[in-house]
């Protein structure tokens, strides 16, 4: 890809920081149903008598829907641009989130409402935000993606506290309505006024030269991507590290308790993961812009191995548990940030929506599958030892796959597509 005319990282931030702000808010919005569920479990259990597994079934529904719909959303992003999808998705998501308040004693009403919510949230998947930010950042892309995806931290901080207040003051039904209203008022204006992408800008004002569209029109087509070994290496590595990162993080408290720590101490130690993940995410984004991304990611995905060794060799040791939580948190940026970054570098932006949409579907599958498999192994063996030993080779294989991606391709700019777009626009103006 040509880089001689690309602006510096500082200039990119001066021009496009509103896109990052809006994208981060969209990422935060997409997590509301996840971070509010823990607060809602007790009142739902008390009112309906459902098991906690039944209440949590909505998460698995979301993963299965994501596997099916993410490639389709990716195609729509490539065709329509991220802005339209995000505005429709945010509106639908807030509407369906409020509708959860209509659940009744039948568990099928809960499943139906969560299925609708799972469809709505597909308009807010990370693919949309990473596609937009990646299209307007080149030299500062890694750090811009890291800041964008720190929106999950904001959601994780605000949503549980707000949910708890609303449940205690108004009950769980009004809590869902209140959450939907709060986040809609916060996020929808930011998306409407600030969220855009290179594709959306090209739609409003077709480029007069190659430089304007060189980022957007460089890369593999969908057909070329699905024939590329890089795509399958990246997809398999991403699935592996997501399987480890999500299941390890979700089950960290019971894993620590199983080593002999008290539950309150385990919960306090698990809180270190969130802090370390922010440091790891921002630090990783900084390094991705300055070092070979394959190496940075390969090292990051090896960090959970350190966590596993500490917990296996020093069970019940508070210091070892704290270090394990920190190393796990530092690695979390590789789960999505680094994978998205490497996808833009190795596959390009031409069909990023479709190609990364498939990868996103696999990431969502790992998110729903990992915790279930780990807990199933615990049900059989009565311990998390097997899971911890299994994490080690998965991380090692993922690291090797990231290293094997090779140098970033030098994609030519598809100037024929620019010519085609200009011709179509001129013809449209002539008709008007």
């Amino acid at each position: 890809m040509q880089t001689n005319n690309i602006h510096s990282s500082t200039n990119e931030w001066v021009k496009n920081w509103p896109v990052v702000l809006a994208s981060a808010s969209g990422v935060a919005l997409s997590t509301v149903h996840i971070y509010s569920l823990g607060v809602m479990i007790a009142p739902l259990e008390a009112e309906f008598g459902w098991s906690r597994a039944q209440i949590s079934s909505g998460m698995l529904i979301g993963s299965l829907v994501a596997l099916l719909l993410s490639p389709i959303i990716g195609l729509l992003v490539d065709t329509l641009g991220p802005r339209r999808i995000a505005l429709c998705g945010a509106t639908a998501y807030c509407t369906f989130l409020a509708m959860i308040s209509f659940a009744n004693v039948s568990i099928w009403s809960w499943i139906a409402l969560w299925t609708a919510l799972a469809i709505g949230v597909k308009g807010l998947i990370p693919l949309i935000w990473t596609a937009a930010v990646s299209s307007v950042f080149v030299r500062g892309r890694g750090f811009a993606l890291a800041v964008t995806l720190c929106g999950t931290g904001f959601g994780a901080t605000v949503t549980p506290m707000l949910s708890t207040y609303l449940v205690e003051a108004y009950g769980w039904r009004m809590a869902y309505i209140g959450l939907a209203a709060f986040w809609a008022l916060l996020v929808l204006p930011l998306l409407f006024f600030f969220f855009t992408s290179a594709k959306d800008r090209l739609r409003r004002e077709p480029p007069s030269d190659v430089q304007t569209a060189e980022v957007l029109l460089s890369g593999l087509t969908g057909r070329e991507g699905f024939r590329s070994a890089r795509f399958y290496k990246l997809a398999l590595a991403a699935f592996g590290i997501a399987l480890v990162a999500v299941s390890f993080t979700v089950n960290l408290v019971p894993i620590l308790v199983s080593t002999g720590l008290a539950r309150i101490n385990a919960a306090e130690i698990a809180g270190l993961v969130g802090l370390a993940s922010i440091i790891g995410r921002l630090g990783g984004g900084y390094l991705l812009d300055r070092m070979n991304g394959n190496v940075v990611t390969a090292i990051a995905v090896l960090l959970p191995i350190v966590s596993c060794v500490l917990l296996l060799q020093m069970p019940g040791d508070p210091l070892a548990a704290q270090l394990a939580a920190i190393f796990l948190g530092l690695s979390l940026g590789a789960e999505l940030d680094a994978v998205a970054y490497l996808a833009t570098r190795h596959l390009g932006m031409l069909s990023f929506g479709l190609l990364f949409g498939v990868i996103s579907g696999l990431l969502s599958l790992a998110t729903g599958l990992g915790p279930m498999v780990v807990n199933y192994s615990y049900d059989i063996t009565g311990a998390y030892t097997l899971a911890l030993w299994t994490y080690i080779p998965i991380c090692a294989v993922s690291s090797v796959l990231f290293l094997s991606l090779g140098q970033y391709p030098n994609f030519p700019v598809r100037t024929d597509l620019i010519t085609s777009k200009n011709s179509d626009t001129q013809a449209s103006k002539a008709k008007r």
Side-chain angles (χ1 to χ4, degrees), residues 46-379:
E47 180 169 340
F48 297 131
W50 298 335
S51 70
R52 298 197 172 196
Q54 288 176 315
I55 296 171
S56 302
S57 63
M59 296 295 296
L60 182 58
I61 293 171
S63 296
L64 296 175
V65 171
L67 181 64
L68 296 174
L69 294 187
S70 291
I72 298 175
I73 297 297
L75 277 173
L76 292 175
V77 168
D78 287 335
T79 304
L80 303 176
R83 176 178 168 81
R84 296 181 183 181
I85 308 300
L87 288 172
C88 292
T91 303
Y93 177 79
C94 291
T95 301
F96 291 138
L97 184 67
M99 288 177 61
I100 292 183
S101 63
F102 295 139
N104 56 47
V105 70
S106 171
I107 189 62
W108 293 107
S109 70
W110 180 254
I111 292 174
L113 289 167
W114 270 81
T115 301
L117 183 67
I119 295 173
V121 79
K122 292 312 107 186
L124 302 174
I125 58 177
L127 157 68
I128 293 168
W129 319 114
T130 55
V133 171
S134 296
S135 71
V136 296
F137 282 85
V138 178
R139 292 187 178 178
R141 182 179 293 167
F143 191 71
L145 287 172
V147 174
T148 296
L149 295 169
C150 278
T152 57
F154 180 68
T157 301
V158 174
T159 298
M161 293 189 296
L162 180 60
S163 300
T164 301
Y165 168 77
L166 291 172
V167 168
E168 292 179 351
Y170 306 104
W172 70 267
R173 293 185 188 274
M174 288 303 299
Y176 271 117
I177 295 173
L179 284 171
F182 171 83
W183 284 99
L185 291 173
L186 178 65
V187 175
L188 286 175
L190 290 174
L191 296 182
F192 184 81
F193 289 109
F194 299 133
F195 185 66
T196 187
S197 69
K199 182 176 286 293
D200 295 303
R201 292 172 181 174
L202 290 177
R203 180 180 293 106
R204 294 195 305 268
E205 186 177 349
S208 57
D209 54 42
V210 172
Q211 177 185 345
T212 308
E214 66 175 359
V215 174
L216 191 63
L217 299 177
S218 299
L220 302 177
T221 64
R223 179 176 296 182
E224 291 168 343
F226 290 132
R227 293 176 177 176
S228 168
R230 293 173 188 262
F231 171 80
Y232 293 101
K233 290 178 181 179
L234 187 59
L236 183 58
F239 180 81
I241 191 56
L243 199 70
V244 171
V246 175
S247 62
F248 203 165
T249 303
V250 169
N251 291 294
L252 184 58
V253 171
I255 288 174
L256 294 178
V257 170
S258 72
T259 66
L261 292 174
R263 181 167 294 276
I264 184 63
N265 293 332
E268 291 173 349
I269 292 172
L272 294 173
V273 174
L275 178 61
S277 69
I278 295 175
I279 297 173
R281 184 157 275 155
L282 295 178
Y286 178 86
L287 292 175
L288 285 172
D289 290 330
R290 290 159 177 79
M291 297 175 60
N292 185 291
N294 302 343
V295 176
V296 173
T297 309
I299 294 174
V301 302
L302 291 176
L303 296 181
I305 295 179
V306 180
S307 301
C308 292
V309 171
L310 287 169
L311 294 177
L312 288 168
Q313 298 301 315
M314 290 180 281
D317 186 299
L319 179 58
Q322 291 170 6
L323 292 174
I326 291 172
F327 277 108
L328 177 60
L330 291 174
S331 73
L332 291 183
E335 178 209 348
L336 183 58
D337 309 36
V339 171
Y341 178 86
L342 291 178
T344 66
R345 294 303 190 192
H346 288 285
L347 305 177
M349 294 300 299
L350 185 63
S351 295
F352 178 80
L354 173 60
L355 297 174
F356 193 65
V358 175
I359 295 175
S360 294
L362 291 173
L363 290 173
S364 296
L365 178 62
T367 299
L369 187 62
M372 183 180 68
V373 171
V374 168
N375 284 306
Y376 179 71
S377 73
Y378 177 84
D379 291 338

